[in-house]
Amino acid sequence: LLLYGFIFIVGFAMAVLAMRYQRDTLDGGFITYGKALGIGVLVTVISTFISSLWNYIFINFIDTEYMNRLKEQFETAWGENMPPDALEKALEGFDKAGSLMQVLQSTLFGGVIFGLIIGLITAAFMKREPLKN
């Protein structure tokens, strides 16, 4: 839970910095809600992709036994508390976690959803439109 909180804070910080740069440096101090939202989603998707690419490299090339250790820890912690078919299905998920297609799918889906959440919130605070006469 602490890790997810940290990831959320970093995501917000990256989105705010990107929106502020766009607004203050590139757009003369103004940015619409829609443009800010787009920047927030884009920055989050890119950062999620980079993070997922690192995870893929780590799991498949640096520490190839990492997923096996995670699987064993999961089985030790939850094995007796889960029905056998649910446990088997969960353990199969660990085997798929290192595949490139799984990484790309989870990055695309998770990045867009995470980006929308962060983008919707940060864009509301960062938007600044010119006054109309």
Side-chain angles (χ1 to χ4, degrees), residues 35-50:
K35 189 170 190 176
L37 173 62
I39 291 169
V41 171
L42 182 64
V43 165
T44 307
V45 168
I46 290 171
S47 63
T48 303
F49 177 76
I50 292 169

Side-chain angles (χ1 to χ4, degrees), residues 38-116:
I39 291 169
V41 171
L42 182 64
V43 165
T44 307
V45 168
I46 290 171
S47 63
T48 303
F49 177 76
I50 292 169
S51 173
S52 296
L53 183 62
W54 163 251
N55 286 337
Y56 175 77
I57 292 169
F58 181 78
I59 290 169
N60 289 292
F61 302 108
I62 297 173
D63 188 358
T64 56
E65 291 300 312
Y66 178 73
M67 290 309 291
N68 290 332
R69 287 193 310 272
L70 276 182
K71 194 162 71 167
E72 288 172 10
Q73 290 174 358
F74 181 84
E75 194 169 7
T76 301
W78 294 99
E80 295 178 9
N81 300 326
M82 294 178 73
D85 57 328
L87 178 63
E88 185 178 324
K89 188 172 183 177
L91 293 176
E92 287 174 7
F94 282 94
D95 295 332
K96 292 179 186 176
S99 77
L100 184 58
M101 286 309 294
Q102 181 67 29
V103 168
L104 292 175
Q105 286 175 346
S106 64
T107 298
L108 183 62
F109 182 72
V112 169
I113 298 299
F114 186 59
L116 276 172

Side-chain angles (χ1 to χ4, degrees), residues 111-126:
V112 169
I113 298 299
F114 186 59
L116 276 172
I117 292 168
I118 287 178
L120 287 167
I121 295 169
T122 54
F125 293 104
M126 298 301 295

